[in-house]
Amino acid sequence: MVSQIIPEQNLIILYTGPEKEGLANPSEGDLLAVLETVANAEIQANTEDNLNEPLISKELKGSKVTKETQGIHGSTVWTLANGLKVIVKPTDYKKDQVIFTLEMDGGRNRIPVEDLASFENTVWSLYLSNTGVAGFSGTQLPKMLAGKRASAKPFINGYSHGISGQSSPKDIETAFQLAYLYFTAPRFDADEFTSGIRQIEAVLPNIKTTPDYKYEIEMEKVLYGNNPRVVSLTDETLAKADLATIEKNYRMLFNGVKGATLIITGNVDLETLKPLVEKYFGSISKGKGLKINEKDIIQFAKGNIAKTLELEMETPKSSVLQFHSAYMPISTKT
């Protein structure tokens, strides 16, 4: 049907692009040459992926709940044999939703300053969105999860890291399987990493010309006193981003669950949930655990600082930021 609907004699090529000094737009001949090249190319049909294999094929030993206590607000607290603390709070706010987060100290704070370019927010986010897990690529994984409401992804914040996810009550085992694999079988594929870098390279030249980008870069320098641990998206950052660096630090951070807390809330039944927690999260090794490096905590610049940044704009505007900081000896941990 497609070959009948789009014959060669009924085709329009419409090209749009910016009129900009130094930018060479393709000519009519260039566009027709591309069309001819494609028409004469031998393009193979996509091969169908074998999606019948399970996410986890091996038998997991797991570890049992060794201690159970009552927590606050009607929650239940389990301690697994591998040291993981689990807090479960059944709710009926949304009957089709279960949310979970496994979190521990560490995060970017434990990554050496020379490696932080690979974990700049945009670089790391695009890599995560393009990659899969274990032997399943970033394109295969969504197909395997078709028909299920289950997701899980690793996160690396400033001072903590872990896995977060959600699912429907009937698909919670699938979400737990994903969480287990992100600990035990993370995927570091060069093509998936390069795909994210190429996406950034395509848009960064335009982003860099915007006043908001320049303003934000300068603002971070002033607020944090040019702290080398505060990494912005620049050409230099992109050039330093490296897959081997991501793998090295990821394996360092996700070496086990020592010191971690898993919080599960939603429409769950404790009796059916417990064996799933024991099987998947109980099968993750204890590991060494990490502490926050106090010397690498990012501080705001001290003193009274006034900075004016003037930029050329087609539509002039002014932005004013007043930032006040103070030392408050209060901990959010109790």
Side-chain angles (χ1 to χ4, degrees):
M1 286 296 297
V2 173
S3 61
Q4 296 176 44
I5 294 172
I6 313 178
E8 292 183 4
Q9 68 272 20
N10 186 28
L11 182 65
I12 296 174
I13 300 176
L14 177 64
Y15 170 82
T16 60
E19 265 189 328
K20 191 174 180 180
E21 186 177 348
L23 178 65
N25 289 302
S27 65
E28 178 181 340
D30 294 333
L31 295 173
L32 291 174
V34 172
L35 180 64
E36 184 179 1
T37 299
V38 174
N40 295 328
E42 293 185 8
I43 302 174
Q44 300 296 323
N46 290 334
T47 57
E48 186 174 348
D49 292 326
N50 180 17
L51 303 177
N52 293 324
E53 55 184 308
L55 285 171
I56 302 174
S57 56
K58 66 179 182 179
E59 190 66 30
L60 301 182
K61 294 181 179 179
S63 58
K64 295 293 184 180
V65 170
T66 58
K67 182 180 178 182
E68 179 173 328
T69 60
Q70 292 303 306
I72 62 174
H73 306 304
S75 63
T76 299
V77 182
W78 296 325
T79 302
L80 300 186
N82 64 353
L84 179 64
K85 180 181 179 181
V86 184
I87 302 174
V88 185
K89 167 64 177 173
T91 68
D92 57 1
Y93 303 132
K94 288 187 176 181
K95 295 188 180 297
D96 61 343
Q97 185 181 66
V98 179
I99 302 172
F100 66 91
T101 301
L102 186 154
E103 189 169 15
M104 67 194 88
D105 286 345
R108 286 183 173 85
N109 173 264
R110 293 304 304 261
I111 298 174
V113 66
E114 62 269 19
D115 292 347
L116 284 170
S118 299
F119 292 89
E120 188 278 329
N121 287 332
T122 305
V123 173
W124 171 244
S125 297
L126 279 176
Y127 173 62
L128 278 185
S129 67
N130 290 325
T131 194
V133 68
F136 310 108
S137 70
T139 55
Q140 288 174 322
L141 193 58
K143 297 176 184 178
M144 295 182 67
L145 299 176
K148 297 178 181 289
R149 282 190 51 220
S151 64
K153 280 290 185 181
F155 64 86
I156 301 177
N157 296 330
Y159 301 98
S160 65
H161 61 280
I163 306 287
S164 63
Q166 61 178 315
S167 72
S168 64
K170 69 180 181 65
D171 293 323
I172 192 169
E173 183 171 9
T174 300
F176 284 2
Q177 289 175 340
L178 291 171
Y180 167 81
L181 289 174
Y182 277 117
F183 263 95
T184 61
R187 181 180 174 87
F188 303 100
D189 183 88
D191 290 337
E192 292 168 347
F193 174 74
T194 302
S195 175
I197 296 297
R198 294 291 177 265
Q199 288 174 269
I200 301 172
E201 289 175 340
V203 298
L204 185 56
N206 289 330
I207 293 176
K208 289 191 304 180
T209 63
T210 64
D212 288 343
Y213 171 85
K214 297 177 181 178
Y215 179 82
E216 183 150 346
I217 294 292
E218 192 65 27
M219 179 187 69
E220 289 183 344
K221 290 179 181 178
V222 174
L223 283 182
Y224 301 107
N226 289 303
N227 191 317
R229 299 195 66 81
V230 178
V231 180
S232 303
L233 182 60
T234 64
D235 290 326
E236 294 77 12
T237 299
L238 205 57
K240 292 178 182 177
D242 175 68
L243 181 61
T245 300
I246 289 179
E247 180 174 2
K248 177 188 70 174
N249 286 279
Y250 186 99
R251 293 191 185 279
M252 177 269 294
L253 293 174
F254 291 85
N255 68 79
V257 293
K258 184 179 180 180
T261 299
L262 170 63
I263 300 175
I264 305 171
T265 184
N267 186 10
V268 294
D269 174 73
L270 294 179
E271 293 305 313
T272 57
L273 180 68
K274 182 188 286 188
L276 295 177
V277 170
E278 291 175 327
K279 179 178 180 180
Y280 295 107
F281 292 100
S283 294
I284 302 172
S285 64
K286 184 175 183 179
K288 299 177 180 179
L290 298 170
K291 293 183 179 180
I292 294 173
N293 283 330
E294 297 292 334
K295 66 180 180 65
D296 286 333
I297 290 179
I298 298 172
Q299 303 282 358
F300 293 116
K302 296 181 180 180
N304 295 321
I305 303 172
K307 176 76 176 182
T308 301
L309 179 66
E310 295 184 358
L311 301 169
E312 288 188 13
M313 301 183 186
E314 291 185 6
T315 305
K317 71 172 184 177
S318 295
S319 298
V320 179
L321 172 66
Q322 290 187 346
F323 187 88
H324 304 269
S325 65
Y327 173 68
M328 299 181 184
I330 299 172
S331 173
T332 57
K333 295 186 177 181
T334 57

